[in-house]
Amino acid sequence: MQQWLFVDADDTLWENNIYFEEAIHRFIEFLAHSSMQVHEVRAVLNEVEHTAGYGSKNFARSLVETYHRLVEREVRDEDLDYVRRLGEEIAHHPLQILEGVEETLKELAQKHHLVLLTKGEREEQQLKVERSGLESYFQRIVVVEEKNTRTYELLTQEFQCPLADTWMIGNSPKSDINPALEAGLNAVFIPHEHTWVLEHQELRESGPGQLLILDTFADLRAHF
């Protein structure tokens, strides 16, 4: 049976958060706080990021704000430039497609309706899609500011998708799985060990939809 498959991008199709983690590691080393532990610095950064928005530019601004809050030495322009570059350079990092993704998309696209659904800064996300070489497998590319229950309700209405035959596939319980289930869709959770901490959430099997948990993206071929 032909299904509607909405597919997340970052950390589902390609690596993403590992580059943010590398930047954070370098930031904490550069900050070199005399008394705060790594997890304490991370907690401050998480607090700042929570309201900053998505994408490398907002991440860079979060690093700069966190630096201003925690730095114990004189704030120099060249130091701020370095911190800002740690974030902004992520947008130019080569994309690393996850294992089995392209082969799986090629097979699924022959049998189902595929829609790439990603959130974040529109221009940056669209550029990632173009650089990935995966765009041709999708009937539509949709970039939204946030993935919540209302987002899924509106998209399924727009595409006239039967909820029983519609799935959201992704690595984030907070953005991909729980709100999709709440909107009445089915969902496929593919965990990624480096999922952004602000996307962590307990899985909630609410609504009439099915929840499928797989180890890898390639495992989709056995179910669809």
Side-chain angles (χ1 to χ4, degrees):
M1 180 183 297
Q2 195 170 48
Q3 308 276 311
W4 282 86
L5 307 181
F6 288 79
V7 184
D8 173 52
D10 292 337
D11 293 320
T12 297
L13 299 180
W14 52 70
E15 295 285 8
N16 180 66
N17 199 52
I18 58 172
Y19 308 124
F20 288 85
E21 291 295 330
E22 289 172 3
I24 292 170
H25 175 74
R26 292 164 62 192
F27 169 77
I28 292 175
E29 284 191 334
F30 182 70
L31 178 67
H33 201 280
S34 64
S35 61
M36 296 181 72
Q37 300 297 312
V38 169
H39 71 275
E40 294 173 314
V41 176
R42 286 296 302 264
V44 176
L45 177 58
N46 290 343
E47 178 186 344
V48 173
E49 283 193 278
H50 187 71
T51 58
Y54 307 110
S56 59
K57 291 182 180 178
N58 286 323
F59 175 64
R61 283 191 281 268
S62 295
L63 290 179
V64 169
E65 181 175 340
T66 304
Y67 186 77
H68 274 294
R69 289 191 188 188
L70 302 181
V71 66
E72 299 174 295
R73 53 185 178 265
E74 178 186 357
V75 177
R76 303 183 303 171
D77 289 341
E78 54 264 43
D79 292 343
L80 294 177
D81 288 341
Y82 173 77
V83 170
R84 188 177 296 106
R85 286 197 307 273
L86 287 176
E88 293 179 346
E89 287 174 357
I90 291 174
H92 307 290
H93 201 287
L95 282 183
Q96 180 182 343
I97 307 301
L98 292 171
E99 185 177 357
V101 162
E102 184 160 14
E103 302 92 322
T104 303
L105 288 177
K106 183 176 182 179
E107 182 174 322
L108 295 177
Q110 295 172 2
K111 298 183 289 185
H112 304 289
H113 302 288
L114 267 59
V115 177
L116 193 151
L117 175 59
T118 181
K119 71 175 182 179
E121 199 281 318
R122 182 174 300 276
E123 182 178 347
E124 184 172 338
Q125 292 302 100
Q126 184 62 48
L127 182 60
K128 285 183 187 178
V129 175
E130 294 171 1
R131 290 165 54 208
S132 74
L134 303 176
E135 188 170 9
S136 63
Y137 298 116
F138 295 94
Q139 296 179 7
R140 288 280 299 274
I141 308 297
V142 180
V143 182
V144 295
E145 292 183 1
E146 193 61 77
K147 291 179 184 174
N148 51 37
T149 304
R150 186 58 176 159
T151 300
Y152 292 104
E153 291 173 344
L154 291 173
L155 287 175
T156 52
Q157 291 170 15
E158 177 183 349
F159 294 125
Q160 298 184 332
C161 310
L163 293 181
D165 301 325
T166 304
W167 298 75
M168 180 62 206
I169 300 167
N171 69 293
S172 167
K174 180 177 180 291
S175 295
D176 300 322
I177 308 304
N178 291 337
L181 291 171
E182 289 167 3
L185 285 71
N186 307 295
V188 181
F189 178 47
I190 306 175
H192 189 293
E193 63 177 321
H194 296 296
T195 294
W196 187 26
V197 65
L198 296 187
E199 293 294 329
H200 291 186
Q201 199 174 75
E202 291 294 325
L203 293 174
R204 299 194 298 266
E205 297 187 52
S206 56
Q210 303 176 56
L211 172 62
L212 183 62
I213 301 176
L214 301 179
D215 292 328
T216 70
F217 196 86
D219 291 337
L220 289 167
R221 285 180 280 184
H223 297 273
F224 297 94

